[in-house]
Amino acid sequence: MPDYLYKARDESGKLVKGALEAASADEVGVKLRKMGYMAVSISPAKKEIDLEGMLRHLRRINPQDLIVFNFQLANLLESGITLLISLRAIEAQTANKRLKNVLGELWRAVESGSSFSESLSRHPKVFSKLFVNMVKAGEESGKLNDVLKKFAAFSEAREELSQKIKGALFYPIILFIASIIVIVFIVTFIMPKFADLFLSAGLKLPLVTQILFSFGVIIKRFWYLIILGFGILSWLAVQYTQTKSGKFHFDRLTLKIPVIGDLARKIYVSRLSRTLAVLLSSGVPVLRSLDITKEVIGNQVMAQVMANLKASVEQGERLSAPLKVSGEFPLDAVQMISAGEESGNLDGMLNKIADFYDTAVSYSLKKLTALIEPLLLAVMGAVVALIMASVLIPIFDMVKIIRH
C-alpha cells in the first residue's frame, strides 16, 4: 500500500506530523480519527530515490542491539509506560540508524491501530518469526514485558554460545590461512628460482622437486583460472545446498563427521531445547511451538525430526517417545524430557537440557581446538619439510658435483 503524509491536530490543538500506510487518503482520515486526531492535510508520499534510506537498509543490526532493545522495552513496560511512548523513547536514544528507522516505523504502525506483533511481522529481516510469535502470545496473555525479558535472555544465551564457537575456531582458521599463504609463496616464488639454478647446472631434479616446481609454475601462470574455478565450484556447492535435497544431505553429512558431527549435534540439541522452552513458557501452543522451532533450528535433519514430532503430538503422543525413535536426540536428553512431561515442568526441563548442552559444547570446543591446532601444525610442518627436502636434495647433489 502507498504511504501517505499527514498533518493533524490533537485534542489540545497541537500540530502533529507523520506517515501512515493505507489504500487511500479516506482510510488515512479514518485512522487519524480513531487516534484522536483531526486531519489538516493528507497527501501521498513522493516516491523519490532515497539514498540515505538505501544506506540505512544496508547497515547491519547487531544481535546485541536487539537484545538491548528487548530489555529496554520490557523495563519500560514494567514501569507502567505505554507501548507507544516506550517505542518512541527507545527510538530517540538508539544509535544504530537502521534500527532507529525500523523503530520509527513500528511506533507509527502501532499508533495507526496495528498490534505490536503485526507491526513486527512487517520487518522479517530484523525480527524473527520466533520473536513475533512470542510477542503475539505475550499480547494475548497480557504479559508482554515478561515475554520480552525471556526472549532477551534467550537471545543473550544464544549469542554467547555463538561467540564461543567463533572464538574457538578463530585461531585455527587464521593459522590454516596463514600456512596456505606461506606454502603458496614458497612454491610459486622461491622454488622456481632454485629449480632454474639446478637446471642451469645440469642437475636432474628429483621427482618431488619436479612436481612442486610444476605446481608452482601452474599457480603462477594460471592463478586467475584457479580462482575462477574455485569460485564456480563454491557457487555450485552453495546453490546445491540451497535446494531442499542438497541442504538435507549436507546437514546429514555434517552430523556424521567424526568429532565435528558430535559437536554440531550438541549445538542443535541446545538450540532446539532452548527455543522450545522459551516458546512454551511464553504461552505459545505446543503445535505452533514445534512449527516455529522447526523453522529456526537450522538443520534439515533436525527439522524433519520436529515435523515427525508434531505429527505424533497431534495423535496424542508425548514428546519423548518419537524423539527416542528418531535416533537423532541423545538418550539423556530424551529421558529428561520424559521426566519433564511427567512432572508437568517441560519448559523448565528443556532449559536444563539447553544449559547442560551449552556447557558440553564449551568442553567439546576446547577438545576440538586442542586436537586441531597440533594436528594442523603437524600437517603444515610436514608440508614445509617436504618442500625444504625437495630444495636441499638437489643442493647436496650440486655440492657433490663441485667437489668432483
Side-chain angles (χ1 to χ4, degrees), residues 207-365:
L207 179 61
V208 176
T209 308
Q210 291 179 26
I211 292 172
L212 291 174
F213 174 65
S214 301
F215 183 64
V217 170
I218 290 171
I219 292 177
K220 199 169 183 179
R221 289 183 180 177
F222 305 106
W223 60 269
Y224 53 93
L225 293 177
I226 294 171
I227 294 175
L228 180 62
F230 180 77
I232 292 172
L233 288 175
S234 300
W235 182 81
L236 290 173
V238 170
Q239 293 300 311
Y240 177 67
T241 55
Q242 287 180 348
T243 63
K244 189 174 180 180
S245 61
K247 179 75 169 108
F248 184 85
H249 290 130
F250 177 78
D251 289 342
R252 181 170 290 281
L253 178 63
T254 301
L255 293 174
K256 289 185 176 181
I257 297 174
V259 183
I260 294 176
D262 180 60
L263 174 61
R265 189 179 302 278
K266 289 174 181 176
I267 292 170
Y268 290 127
V269 169
S270 170
R271 184 183 299 173
L272 186 151
S273 301
R274 199 175 295 282
T275 303
L276 197 55
V278 77
L279 285 166
L280 293 174
S281 62
S282 301
V284 180
V286 176
L287 295 178
R288 181 58 183 152
S289 297
L290 294 173
D291 264 338
I292 297 168
T293 305
K294 182 185 74 172
E295 292 175 4
V296 302
I297 190 63
N299 183 284
Q300 289 299 310
V301 176
M302 289 296 187
Q304 185 61 48
V305 171
M306 298 307 296
N308 296 337
L309 184 59
K310 181 187 174 185
S312 299
V313 171
E314 285 177 328
Q315 295 175 4
E317 293 186 35
R318 289 185 172 186
L319 294 175
S320 53
L323 283 176
K324 186 177 181 179
V325 172
S326 71
E328 299 293 344
F329 244 64
L331 185 59
D332 60 342
V334 175
Q335 291 174 340
M336 290 176 72
I337 289 173
S338 178
E341 288 176 315
E342 291 176 2
S343 64
N345 185 31
L346 180 58
D347 54 334
M349 194 61 73
L350 286 167
N351 272 320
K352 287 183 180 180
I353 294 171
D355 291 338
F356 170 76
Y357 276 94
D358 280 352
T359 305
V361 166
S362 297
Y363 283 118
S364 295
L365 282 171

Side-chain angles (χ1 to χ4, degrees), residues 39-183:
V40 175
S41 66
I42 300 172
S43 59
K46 294 180 180 179
K47 301 296 181 181
E48 298 177 349
I49 298 175
D50 185 6
L51 293 178
E52 185 180 351
M54 291 171 65
L55 289 174
R56 275 201 304 267
H57 283 285
L58 290 175
R59 294 189 184 101
R60 184 172 174 267
I61 298 178
N62 294 320
Q64 292 87 348
D65 293 332
L66 294 177
I67 292 171
V68 172
F69 162 69
N70 289 327
F71 274 123
Q72 284 179 313
L73 186 57
N75 289 330
L76 288 170
L77 293 175
E78 195 172 22
S79 302
I81 301 172
T82 64
L83 176 62
L84 185 59
I85 296 174
S86 298
L87 290 172
R88 282 180 170 179
I90 297 171
E91 181 209 5
Q93 63 185 33
T94 298
N96 187 297
K97 291 186 177 180
R98 185 184 175 192
L99 182 57
K100 190 181 186 73
N101 181 59
V102 170
L103 292 178
E105 293 179 12
L106 281 180
W107 72 255
R108 281 191 289 270
V110 171
E111 187 181 40
S112 67
S114 299
S115 67
F116 186 37
S117 57
E118 183 185 347
S119 305
L120 291 169
S121 65
R122 296 174 186 172
H123 304 276
K125 292 183 179 180
V126 180
F127 304 107
S128 64
K129 289 183 179 180
L130 172 63
F131 181 55
V132 173
N133 280 275
M134 285 182 64
V135 168
K136 187 175 182 180
E139 289 174 328
E140 292 172 356
S141 63
K143 297 180 180 179
L144 181 57
N145 55 327
D146 292 336
V147 169
L148 290 170
K149 282 187 176 180
K150 286 179 182 178
F151 186 79
F154 162 78
S155 301
E156 197 171 26
R158 185 174 59 181
E159 183 64 17
E160 185 179 352
L161 179 62
S162 176
Q163 291 300 325
K164 283 181 181 178
I165 296 170
K166 291 176 182 177
L169 297 179
F170 179 76
Y171 177 69
I173 291 172
I174 293 298
L175 181 62
F176 177 75
I177 293 173
S179 301
I180 293 296
I181 291 173
V182 170
I183 291 170

